[in-house]
Amino acid sequence: MTMFSIPSSWATCWEKLQNFKLESLFARNRGQGTPRTIYINQDVPSSYLDAKGRPRKEYVYCTNQVITSKYTIITFLPRNLLEQFRRIANIFFAFIAILQFFPQFATISPGLVILPLLIVLGITAVKDGYEDIKRHQSDRHVNHSRVRVLTGGGWTNPNFTGAKSRTFVRGVVSKARPKRLGAHKADVETGTPTDAERDTDVEMDEGISMPDGKHHHHLFNGDHDVVRAHWKKTLWEDVRVGDFVKIVNNESIPADILICATSEEDNVAYVETKNLDGETNLKSRNASPVLADLRTAADCANKLNAFHVDCERPDTNMYKLDATVSRGSDRSPVDLQMVLLRGTVLRNTDWVIGVVLFTGEDTKIVQNSGGTPSKRSRVERQTNPQVFINLAILAAMATVCGIADYKIESRLYPEGAPWLYGDDTSGDNPGINGFITWAFALITFQNIVPISLYISVEGVKTCQALFIYFDYEMVDKKTGQPTLARSYNLSDDLGQIEYIFSDKTGTLTENSMLFRECSIGGVVYYGDRESEPDPEAQQIGDDNNRASAPLATGVKLSCGVPEHFKDKQLSQDLASAIDAEPGSDNAAHARSLNGFFSVLALCHTVLAVVDPRTGAIEYKAQSPDEAALVQAAADVGFIFCGRDKDVLKLKTPFSMEVERYQLLNILEFTSARKRMSVIVRKLDEADSRLFLLTKGADSVIFERLKAGGDELKQTTEQHLDDFAGAGLRTLTLAYKVIPDDEYEAWRERYQDAVTSLEDRGGKVEVVYDEIEQELRLLGATAIEDRLQDGVPETIADLKLAGIKIWVATGDKLETAIAIGHSTNLIADDSNIIVIRGGDWGRLVSEQLVQALEDFFPGSDVLKDDFARLGTSQYRESQTPYAMRRLSTGVTSLVGEDNGRRPGGYVLVIDGAALGQALSDDQHKKLLLSLGTQCEGVICCRVSPLQKALVVKLVKDGLHTMTLAIGDGANDVSMIQAADVGVGIRGEEGLQAVNSSDYAIAQFRFLKKLLLVHGHWSYARNGTMILNFFYKNIVCIGVLWWFQIYCGWSSAYAFDYTYLLFWNSFWTIAPVLGIGLFDRIVDADILMAFPELYRYGREQTWFTMKSFCGYMLDGVVQSVPLYFLVTYAYFTTTARSDGYDIALDEYSTTMVFASVTVACLYNGLNTNVWTAWVFGAVFIGIILLWLFTVVYNSISPGWFVTDVYGNNHFLFRSAYFWLCLPLTITISLLPRYLYRAWQLGYAPGDLEILRYIRKKRPELDIAKACRLAPHHQQSRTSSRRRPSSRISRPLSLASTVGGTPTDRSVDHASADHPRPQDIRRASRTDMSTGVRSVDRGFDFATEEGGVAIRRIQTGLSERWQSSRHLPLAETEPSVKKKSSMRIFSSLRRKKPPTPNKDS
């Protein structure tokens, strides 16, 4: 016997239906694209044209116009209607309205029937349209930015470009066919304007002059018919593939551009890529060598300079681009290092000339961004099944009425019932009448699905957005920017967030590095905290001791360094060191100070640029860390004055003259080496020794130190622990003196290694390691990657709220871990699991499986066949990568239970590993299982598309509510992929804000946005919707019970006007009061107790269970409301004239009772009764009384009603005054008793907190229920970041009296702070099996960047040219003796005098 199975075709259709996205109907899918060849100064091949001379489709490139809006004028109406009719209720209302256009089912005018639906649709459409207009305005702002484009000189762009979208109608022109080549170019542009106007948009290259030597001041030649080649400012959206563009300093890049030439001597350009990868350090890019001569507009327009570029198809890989430039017989490869990507910003470079390769939707950043999604809140999605249930109930009720009417007519017609006379025709018989009764029942009971529900929810959410906007506590005091809700319909989602995905740079950090503290020779300097930033430039040293004119007179703050480093004690020690006598007590520390800051000032790749206007030095660094280190050295007097080829110039307080050092070798930094070294020779007649200067992680520096000096090592190690405990990045400095003969032998081995064709990297690493031994320790530095205000506290509270935080950043792994520590994402006792990708180490699948086996052995995913396969593969390969302990060289820091510390686990995974982990469903399952069992996840080196894929992995894999927050263009896809997207108005532009649902000014505002506004909105909206369904089921219940006594004819129990105004006047105000004014608890309590957010995460306020409970309440309450009134009136008549009662008399009593019960029931479900709530509860009841009195008094002279004169009988009846209190009390009693029992005998945290606030309004509940942190006196403890674990009382009930009786005491926060025990945390690299302890080390630099490669190339060429020349001879009488000093003299050098030797 086979089990029943769904046909595969049905399953496929159902899966397609589930995965269907409405926006796909209106999106233009360009496909993958094809490889392209871009022709410059030459015609395109004839194969690019079809038989009719029109460009082939595959050779027509997209425009540079980028549009993020959803609608156009053409698509607005159909798309918006389709979005609104995703609501089942709207489809039902439209059906009911259309049904009443037929005379058989008409109740009132059909126009009035459909009017409410049109109002609902219209208001929603206006709101959606307003939101999209804002997107259009943002798009226009970007697309109408201006850039210099080559024009004139006979230059034309032969490449084909499609027509750009005109204003809102981008969906119309896409189908237009390109025009014939040479015809009027409407859809395909192949030429440039022939008229260059004399306006400010036209620029000529500098230095262009007339033949007589005078500068050229006009565009035209002597005959005025040829336009000279020039640059004209053009809109971004008009830039085309194949255009020459000129970018100047601090301008954004409009498209993906191949660099031809730059203003720098080596044709290097520096770009800021934080919009793409989140990194704040500048990246160097170099020009294509075969195009380096195209430095002017005339050169670019010259027909002799013809070439073409072969490019790969557009793709999403942000770190790879393959192309080839062909110029004559020369072919040169092009990689990403030669390309400026859209979204980056040109920095520290006067100008760049380039050729546009990709535009608009083909650029890397846009390829990584998805289309604007149509988001719906979870509450709205959950409402659909509940509407389905109500529709099913409605269908059942209508079916019962239809069948019952058919049966009754079939039975009574043969008996001669007079009202059934002639009930045997084709159009009038029991069957037809039963069907009509069924249809009419749908109209009678239509209020079971309230049409006013959606418009009420929309109105309430709009008001909630205004509450957020007017919250002064979420307004940035510096800029005055409030928090803005850009999508009004997602406010309740803010109260259900389970996962937050955050960018790092600009979101958590301020994009600035600050040199905070240092340890030198065992002495720690904390730096003087500045209340205000320093001026732009600071004068260094005394005027009389400055160098000559070519040298700078001061040092300006570097980009990304917010203030200068100052320390009074350090200044005093330096002053004492300058005059320290050799052999004195102060001499040893003087040598340490001199060596420490000399290493900072010389071991780097920073460029020193002299401002020609002020003469001040400004450092241009590819790494913000390097800029902060060199800047700090300059701040204390060790000024790096620049580099002249291989000579480094340094001005120190110990010498009046500028010291010169020959740079011999750079031992590059890599994430594996964790250190950088330089080998220099001091160019001094008295001292020409060789020095190795090194900086790096303490773990790699300490194990390479010379034996001895244990006291200094131990002291420095303690200082490193202190720095790491304060959340600072640490760096250790060391040096050694190299004998000449040792260096010459090493240099030969180094040259052999770098020229080796086999395993070059491994051989170079071995040679590096040979020379970096026997080092002498100088000290350590502590740098702060300055965080946004309140970031650590916000993350700590969000973690307490039960929200898991995943950080997705483009930074490298070490930087991401350092930020994790400083932001509280990684606690002091957390265990870090590192998953790395790449060509070395274990496979990613093996790393994931082993991590699950080691740390989460009970995971269900390990039972899968794939996991078992991965485990077996791992076991086969585990020998070379067995887990091992890593020592710092001083003490063993790793215990036996390392990796199983009490702080939980944090997963760190890089982009290469993430790419493999997202490659198929099995890898995704492993990653999802590991990531969700960790307290947090940090994804580093990820592309924008990978950020979005990670969000979708969690959102679709766990079906949880996700929030993404970022501030740059690289975060747009992530923001759009999440259920709720939050953009920060940061330094990276407005791209993230334009694509977000909520815009905030600082990350810390996210706490109140979620914990207060989100929690309130979810509780309000959920309770409001449930009460909406309840109040309508009460009304429908009364009508249903009436059918028993009216022959199941679908007749109304009371006058239709009461039913018509049920949702618009009588019962609308109480539910709106809940949605607008209810508070589960006050805002200060929600902020003080983030744990209360679990009620939102667990979906307490809106579930199917609560929906069924409210519906059952409505059904139960409708029983006494109908039957008590009915049987009271159906006994002895209450009329004094003896006549029997009329239907409208007792049914109006039902109306009064039902409205009063519904309003008071809504009031019972309100947590806080304010004046607004009182008004909302009773306004409907008052309106009902007033309406009834007036409506029953309208005489037939005005218009005919069935209730004229009813006041005479209704209000004089004893039954009316008896039934109202009786039915109201009986109906509300069950709910009232339940609430009373819950508050008295089973109160939750919310009930307790509300009770305390009511009884003790003056009590500060936050202080009463939480241990206040002790004031910490020590300087070190005041710098320590707040703990992510905050003590809690075991029971809130114990705080009712104002004094907690049972608390979990955190002894670590006592007056005697406990230093960080680094044995509490561990770091496990799953790719190598290494377990170690991390002190927060980070050194961010561009590995293998252009600056390093350029310097290395220059050093190599100079070595090759001089290797056969004799070495410079030194005086044989000068014999160097072994010394720890870097310099032969520590005192300031003075001019010689007749009486003294220098």
Side-chain angles (χ1 to χ4, degrees):
M1 179 177 177
T2 58
M3 296 181 62
F4 173 77
S5 61
I6 301 176
S8 59
S9 58
W10 293 7
T12 303
C13 293
W14 176 248
E15 184 179 357
K16 289 182 178 179
L17 182 62
Q18 283 185 312
N19 297 331
F20 172 74
K21 296 184 181 298
L22 181 64
E23 51 267 24
S24 63
L25 292 176
F26 301 92
R28 294 188 312 182
N29 186 10
R30 290 178 50 86
Q32 274 192 327
T34 58
R36 62 181 61 182
T37 300
I38 303 165
Y39 292 90
I40 310 297
N41 285 321
Q42 55 183 301
D43 294 332
V44 298
S46 58
S47 59
Y48 276 38
L49 306 176
D50 60 17
K52 297 182 179 181
R54 296 175 301 188
R56 297 182 184 274
K57 180 180 179 182
E58 59 268 26
Y59 301 122
V60 177
Y61 308 125
C62 67
T63 69
N64 202 37
Q65 196 175 37
V66 175
I67 298 177
T68 63
S69 54
K70 291 167 57 176
Y71 307 116
T72 70
I73 291 179
I74 303 299
T75 64
F76 176 74
L77 188 61
R79 179 169 182 175
N80 190 262
L81 287 177
L82 283 174
E83 288 177 351
Q84 295 200 55
F85 278 102
R86 287 186 299 183
R87 297 169 174 170
I88 302 301
N90 284 347
I91 298 177
F92 168 72
F93 297 141
F95 171 73
I96 293 297
I98 294 173
L99 192 64
Q100 294 187 66
F101 274 84
F102 295 94
Q104 295 90 336
F105 310 110
T107 53
I108 55 177
S109 170
L112 292 177
V113 170
I114 203 171
L115 183 62
L117 177 62
L118 295 179
I119 293 176
V120 170
L121 297 177
I123 292 177
T124 305
V126 169
K127 178 185 72 68
D128 293 341
Y130 174 77
E131 293 175 358
D132 204 58
I133 286 175
K134 293 298 182 182
R135 296 189 187 98
H136 277 286
Q137 292 173 348
S138 300
D139 292 341
R140 181 178 177 84
H141 176 75
V142 173
N143 291 327
H144 282 227
S145 300
R146 300 170 79 82
V147 66
R148 297 161 185 83
V149 176
L150 178 65
T151 305
W155 182 85
T156 58
N157 185 350
N159 303 281
F160 306 119
T161 301
K164 66 179 182 181
S165 303
R166 304 297 179 186
T167 62
F168 295 95
V169 290
R170 62 188 174 100
V172 178
V173 299
S174 61
K175 303 287 186 181
R177 295 183 299 178
K179 297 289 184 181
R180 185 184 307 272
L181 186 63
H184 177 67
K185 308 302 185 291
D187 291 338
V188 177
E189 304 170 4
T190 58
T192 56
T194 59
D195 182 22
E197 298 179 0
R198 301 180 184 180
D199 56 25
T200 57
D201 292 341
V202 174
E203 292 185 7
M204 302 296 294
D205 289 312
E206 295 181 3
I208 294 181
S209 60
M210 295 293 289
D212 59 359
K214 297 181 179 180
H215 287 285
H216 186 63
H217 293 292
H218 56 82
L219 297 176
F220 297 92
N221 289 329
D223 54 4
H224 290 268
D225 58 354
V226 179
V227 181
R228 298 180 66 92
H230 61 278
W231 304 103
K232 183 173 182 179
K233 290 185 178 179
T234 306
L235 301 181
W236 274 24
E237 64 181 11
D238 293 330
V239 173
R240 301 167 49 229
V241 172
D243 276 345
F244 278 102
V245 295
K246 183 178 181 179
I247 316 295
V248 300
N249 192 31
N250 295 326
E251 283 188 348
S252 297
I253 310 302
D256 292 350
I257 297 171
L258 170 63
I259 305 175
C260 296
T262 78
S263 59
E264 301 298 309
E265 179 181 354
D266 297 324
N267 264 335
V268 174
Y270 296 94
V271 292
E272 186 178 70
T273 62
K274 60 185 178 182
N275 272 348
L276 300 182
D277 54 22
E279 295 189 16
T280 55
N281 53 300
L282 299 182
K283 303 291 196 314
S284 57
R285 298 290 184 261
N286 57 293
S288 174
V290 299
L291 304 178
D293 59 321
L294 305 181
R295 305 183 64 84
T296 66
D299 293 336
C300 297
N302 193 335
K303 295 294 184 181
L304 298 178
N305 295 325
F307 62 92
H308 65 269
V309 185
D310 298 313
C311 301
E312 63 181 354
R313 64 166 50 94
D315 63 16
T316 59
N317 192 334
M318 299 289 296
Y319 305 104
K320 174 181 171 293
L321 188 146
D322 293 327
T324 303
V325 176
S326 300
R327 188 176 183 183
S329 59
D330 296 332
R331 288 177 59 85
S332 175
V334 173
D335 58 17
L336 198 60
Q337 196 65 41
M338 301 178 185
V339 175
L340 301 178
L341 298 181
R342 179 183 175 120
T344 59
V345 180
L346 187 67
R347 300 290 191 196
N348 296 340
T349 308
D350 291 338
W351 54 262
V352 166
I353 293 176
V355 174
V356 177
L357 301 182
F358 298 100
T359 53
E361 297 176 1
D362 291 337
T363 57
K364 294 283 188 182
I365 192 169
V366 179
Q367 286 273 314
N368 278 271
S369 302
T372 304
S374 298
K375 295 183 179 180
R376 292 196 300 161
S377 69
R378 173 188 272 178
V379 169
E380 182 180 340
R381 296 195 302 268
Q382 290 176 330
T383 303
N384 269 351
Q386 297 172 359
V387 171
F388 265 122
I389 293 175
N390 281 10
L391 288 176
I393 295 174
L394 174 62
M397 295 168 67
T399 301
V400 169
C401 287
I403 294 175
D405 183 69
Y406 167 75
K407 290 293 185 181
I408 292 174
E409 290 194 19
S410 298
R411 179 172 57 84
L412 295 181
Y413 178 74
E415 298 178 5
W419 62 87
L420 297 177
Y421 178 77
D423 198 8
D424 58 352
T425 65
S426 59
D428 185 5
N429 58 63
I432 293 297
N433 291 340
F435 173 76
I436 293 176
T437 300
W438 172 84
F440 203 84
L442 295 178
I443 300 173
T444 301
F445 304 125
Q446 65 176 301
N447 272 6
I448 196 172
V449 182
I451 190 172
S452 58
L453 169 63
Y454 290 108
I455 192 63
S456 300
V457 170
E458 293 287 349
V460 165
K461 288 183 177 181
T462 300
C463 292
Q464 290 169 352
L466 294 176
F467 293 159
I468 294 173
Y469 180 82
F470 289 113
D471 189 340
Y472 68 92
E473 293 183 357
M474 296 173 63
V475 175
D476 187 14
K477 301 300 187 294
K478 296 179 181 179
T479 63
Q481 293 284 355
T483 298
L484 179 65
R486 294 173 54 86
S487 297
Y488 293 169
N489 61 327
L490 300 177
S491 57
D492 40 52
D493 280 351
L494 294 172
Q496 307 171 73
I497 301 300
E498 298 177 67
Y499 285 84
I500 291 177
F501 298 86
S502 174
D503 178 40
K504 181 193 78 70
T505 306
T507 302
L508 303 179
T509 63
E510 284 187 351
N511 301 329
S512 60
M513 296 289 180
L514 189 59
F515 189 97
R516 275 294 185 198
E517 302 166 4
C518 58
S519 171
I520 307 173
V523 179
V524 64
Y525 298 97
Y526 291 107
D528 300 330
R529 298 294 187 265
E530 297 183 357
S531 57
E532 295 181 0
D534 277 358
E536 175 79 5
Q538 179 189 22
Q539 302 298 323
I540 306 296
D542 187 77
D543 290 340
N544 297 327
N545 297 327
R546 293 212 180 103
S548 55
L551 296 178
T553 58
V555 178
K556 296 196 297 184
L557 282 174
S558 303
C559 180
V561 181
E563 61 188 51
H564 292 284
F565 175 70
K566 294 180 180 178
D567 189 285
K568 293 182 180 178
Q569 184 61 46
L570 177 60
S571 300
Q572 294 174 4
D573 290 352
L574 279 172
S576 301
I578 293 173
D579 299 320
E581 295 292 337
S584 64
D585 296 338
N586 197 31
H589 191 57
R591 288 193 295 270
S592 297
L593 290 171
N594 194 12
F596 181 89
F597 288 107
S598 295
V599 173
L600 286 185
L602 295 174
C603 185
H604 56 76
T605 59
V606 173
L607 298 178
V609 178
V610 178
D611 189 329
R613 184 171 50 87
T614 64
I617 289 178
E618 182 179 4
Y619 296 126
K620 297 181 179 182
Q622 298 184 72
S623 159
D625 297 54
E626 283 198 329
L629 294 172
V630 179
Q631 183 76 55
D635 291 339
V636 298
F638 290 77
I639 305 175
F640 173 64
C641 298
R643 173 183 292 110
D644 184 8
K645 294 184 179 180
D646 61 343
V647 176
L648 309 178
K649 294 178 287 187
L650 177 65
K651 183 174 182 293
T652 76
F654 293 89
S655 175
M656 293 182 60
E657 299 177 357
V658 174
E659 299 178 354
R660 300 167 69 245
Y661 295 84
Q662 182 182 7
L663 178 63
L664 300 176
N665 299 93
I666 296 179
L667 282 58
E668 300 178 30
F669 173 89
T670 66
S671 57
R673 281 170 40 80
K674 294 187 177 180
R675 63 190 182 276
M676 172 187 177
S677 302
V678 295
I679 299 177
V680 297
R681 181 188 296 275
K682 188 173 184 183
L683 302 178
D684 192 327
E685 294 180 357
D687 185 4
S688 60
R689 287 178 295 167
L690 289 166
F691 299 98
L692 173 74
L693 312 180
T694 303
K695 60 184 178 183
D698 59 287
S699 59
V700 297
I701 298 297
F702 273 52
E703 64 186 9
R704 288 165 172 78
L705 293 179
K706 188 175 183 179
D710 292 339
E711 182 179 355
L712 175 60
K713 296 176 185 176
Q714 185 176 4
T715 302
T716 304
E717 191 173 18
Q718 292 175 351
H719 293 161
L720 285 166
D721 294 341
D722 185 35
F723 297 158
L728 303 176
R729 303 186 183 188
T730 60
L731 194 67
T732 308
L733 307 183
Y735 84 102
K736 83 170 185 178
V737 179
I738 308 175
D740 287 345
D741 54 351
E742 178 184 338
Y743 173 72
E744 289 302 322
W746 176 87
R747 190 173 187 178
E748 291 293 337
R749 295 194 300 273
Y750 169 73
Q751 192 63 26
D752 293 339
V754 296
T755 56
S756 174
L757 298 180
E758 296 181 1
D759 191 24
R760 180 181 300 175
K763 292 179 180 179
V764 169
E765 172 61 29
V766 171
V767 175
Y768 281 174
D769 193 64
E770 289 177 2
I771 198 73
E772 293 173 325
Q773 300 293 337
E774 300 294 310
L775 302 177
R776 298 181 183 275
L777 180 64
L778 289 170
T781 65
I783 295 179
E784 176 187 358
D785 189 352
R786 184 173 275 182
L787 302 175
Q788 300 274 2
D789 293 340
V791 166
E793 296 83 358
T794 300
I795 290 182
D797 285 335
L798 292 176
K799 290 171 67 176
L800 282 174
I803 300 174
K804 291 191 175 183
I805 301 175
W806 291 30
V807 173
T809 176
D811 283 340
K812 64 188 184 70
L813 186 140
E814 294 292 345
T815 305
I817 292 178
I819 291 300
H821 280 291
S822 59
T823 58
N824 269 339
L825 184 61
I826 302 176
D828 291 339
D829 53 358
S830 293
N831 301 280
I832 305 172
I833 304 171
V834 179
I835 306 292
R836 295 176 183 264
D839 298 330
W840 56 277
R842 299 187 183 119
L843 296 176
V844 173
S845 59
E846 295 174 4
Q847 297 180 52
L848 293 172
V849 171
Q850 186 61 28
L852 287 168
E853 285 191 338
D854 285 353
F855 308 117
F856 309 103
S859 300
D860 293 336
V861 72
L862 291 176
K863 302 174 184 178
D864 295 346
D865 294 337
F866 179 83
R868 287 198 295 270
L869 176 61
T871 305
S872 64
Q873 292 174 345
Y874 160 73
R875 286 171 179 163
E876 292 174 2
S877 62
Q878 79 176 52
T879 303
Y881 299 109
M883 291 290 182
R884 66 181 189 272
R885 294 166 59 185
L886 184 69
S887 174
T888 62
V890 181
T891 56
S892 178
L893 301 174
V894 182
E896 293 297 328
D897 59 344
N898 187 27
R900 302 208 186 319
R901 302 302 184 187
Y905 299 90
V906 175
L907 174 65
V908 180
I909 182 169
D910 66 11
L914 193 62
Q916 298 180 46
L918 296 173
S919 60
D920 56 58
D921 292 340
Q922 293 290 355
H923 281 85
K924 288 180 181 178
K925 191 174 182 180
L926 288 172
L927 175 61
L928 190 61
S929 176
L930 179 59
T932 52
Q933 293 181 83
C934 294
E935 288 188 346
V937 176
I938 300 177
C939 305
C940 54
R941 282 297 187 192
V942 293
S943 66
L945 183 60
Q946 284 180 321
K947 291 184 179 183
L949 293 176
V950 170
V951 174
K952 292 177 181 178
L953 173 68
V954 175
K955 184 176 75 170
D956 299 336
L958 301 178
H959 302 288
T960 58
M961 292 300 299
T962 59
L963 180 146
I965 179 171
D967 72 327
N970 60 315
D971 305 315
V972 168
S973 56
M974 176 177 69
I975 287 172
Q976 292 178 336
D979 294 291
V980 179
V982 178
I984 295 182
R985 294 186 181 94
E987 298 179 4
E988 300 187 19
L990 296 176
Q991 295 95 327
V993 170
N994 294 340
S995 303
S996 66
D997 304 304
Y998 291 87
I1000 61 179
Q1002 295 186 29
F1003 182 84
R1004 62 188 177 92
F1005 294 152
L1006 186 64
K1007 176 183 175 182
K1008 190 170 187 182
L1009 185 65
L1010 298 185
L1011 302 189
V1012 177
H1013 290 286
H1015 205 170
W1016 275 353
S1017 297
Y1018 173 52
R1020 288 168 173 172
N1021 295 349
T1023 307
M1024 177 184 71
I1025 293 173
L1026 293 174
N1027 279 275
F1028 237 111
F1029 284 120
Y1030 153 80
K1031 70 184 184 63
N1032 279 34
I1033 204 67
V1034 168
C1035 173
I1036 297 303
V1038 172
L1039 294 179
W1040 172 253
W1041 302 128
F1042 177 68
Q1043 302 306 310
I1044 301 174
Y1045 301 93
C1046 71
W1048 303 96
S1049 61
S1050 302
Y1052 295 109
F1054 33 79
D1055 188 84
Y1056 182 74
T1057 53
Y1058 289 111
L1059 185 63
L1060 184 65
F1061 295 145
W1062 180 270
N1063 284 315
S1064 53
F1065 291 108
W1066 317 142
T1067 59
I1068 189 66
V1071 290
L1072 291 180
I1074 293 175
L1076 294 176
F1077 308 116
D1078 192 21
R1079 297 195 305 274
I1080 43 178
V1081 285
D1082 291 340
D1084 61 318
I1085 297 177
L1086 290 174
M1087 292 286 283
F1089 295 94
E1091 298 91 338
L1092 296 175
Y1093 190 76
R1094 68 177 179 85
Y1095 289 99
R1097 287 189 299 103
E1098 297 170 359
Q1099 304 177 46
T1100 305
W1101 311 113
F1102 193 69
T1103 62
M1104 187 60 70
K1105 179 181 178 181
S1106 57
F1107 167 76
C1108 295
Y1110 275 81
M1111 293 289 287
L1112 183 62
D1113 260 356
V1115 173
V1116 170
Q1117 290 177 18
S1118 69
V1119 172
L1121 287 174
Y1122 179 80
F1123 288 101
L1124 282 179
V1125 174
T1126 298
Y1127 284 106
Y1129 274 92
F1130 279 7
T1131 56
T1132 306
T1133 180
R1135 291 192 178 187
S1136 58
D1137 57 7
Y1139 283 97
D1140 201 359
I1141 55 128
L1143 172 63
D1144 291 322
E1145 184 177 340
Y1146 87 91
S1147 66
T1148 305
T1149 305
M1150 293 181 192
V1151 174
F1152 274 87
S1154 300
V1155 170
T1156 305
V1157 167
C1159 292
L1160 293 180
Y1161 183 87
N1162 293 162
L1164 278 177
N1165 294 321
T1166 306
N1167 297 300
V1168 178
W1169 279 70
T1170 62
W1172 291 102
V1173 174
F1174 268 103
V1177 169
F1178 291 103
I1179 186 65
I1181 301 174
I1182 295 172
L1183 288 176
L1184 175 65
W1185 280 80
L1186 294 176
F1187 173 81
T1188 301
V1189 170
V1190 174
Y1191 185 57
N1192 292 351
S1193 302
I1194 297 176
S1195 66
W1198 292 91
F1199 58 86
V1200 177
T1201 65
D1202 295 332
V1203 294
Y1204 173 66
N1206 195 33
N1207 291 340
H1208 178 76
F1209 304 103
L1210 179 66
F1211 298 118
R1212 294 184 179 184
S1213 173
Y1215 290 148
F1216 174 80
W1217 300 106
L1218 169 68
C1219 289
L1220 283 184
L1222 184 63
T1223 54
I1224 293 171
T1225 302
I1226 293 176
S1227 298
L1228 295 177
L1229 189 61
R1231 170 63 64 164
Y1232 176 80
L1233 292 177
Y1234 169 74
R1235 293 296 299 271
W1237 172 84
Q1238 184 185 44
L1239 182 60
Y1241 296 96
D1245 289 340
L1246 295 176
E1247 287 77 16
I1248 293 173
L1249 290 168
R1250 282 198 299 266
Y1251 182 81
I1252 297 174
R1253 176 54 53 91
K1254 182 173 181 61
K1255 293 297 184 181
R1256 300 281 302 276
E1258 77 287 351
L1259 179 66
D1260 190 335
I1261 299 179
K1263 290 184 179 180
C1265 296
R1266 186 199 300 272
L1267 282 177
H1270 293 275
H1271 179 67
Q1272 300 177 348
Q1273 301 290 339
S1274 96
R1275 185 176 188 180
T1276 301
S1277 62
S1278 66
R1279 291 163 40 249
R1280 199 173 300 278
R1281 67 179 184 271
S1283 173
S1284 61
R1285 302 180 182 280
I1286 303 175
S1287 301
R1288 292 287 187 208
L1290 296 183
S1291 173
L1292 288 175
S1294 63
T1295 66
V1296 175
T1299 304
T1301 59
D1302 190 3
R1303 293 173 178 170
S1304 174
V1305 180
D1306 183 5
H1307 299 285
S1309 62
D1311 290 332
H1312 303 286
R1314 180 180 61 193
Q1316 179 190 10
D1317 182 6
I1318 58 175
R1319 293 181 179 83
R1320 297 166 61 195
S1322 75
R1323 170 174 167 178
T1324 304
D1325 191 332
M1326 301 307 300
S1327 65
T1328 60
V1330 175
R1331 283 181 176 169
S1332 61
V1333 173
D1334 180 67
R1335 278 198 178 92
F1337 159 76
D1338 177 65
F1339 177 62
T1341 190
E1342 184 182 8
E1343 298 181 22
V1346 174
I1348 286 283
R1349 290 192 296 181
R1350 188 171 62 251
I1351 296 174
Q1352 293 280 42
T1353 301
L1355 294 176
S1356 178
E1357 291 174 350
R1358 278 186 283 276
W1359 182 81
Q1360 289 287 354
S1361 62
S1362 63
R1363 62 182 303 178
H1364 300 299
L1365 299 178
L1367 293 173
E1369 296 183 1
T1370 58
E1371 297 181 14
S1373 59
V1374 180
K1375 184 176 180 180
K1376 306 293 188 300
K1377 58 182 179 179
S1378 177
S1379 172
M1380 288 183 61
R1381 296 176 295 172
I1382 289 186
F1383 300 94
S1384 58
S1385 174
L1386 291 172
R1387 291 181 294 179
R1388 187 190 303 275
K1389 294 183 179 180
K1390 300 179 180 179
T1393 63
N1395 299 327
K1396 289 185 180 181
D1397 296 333
S1398 56

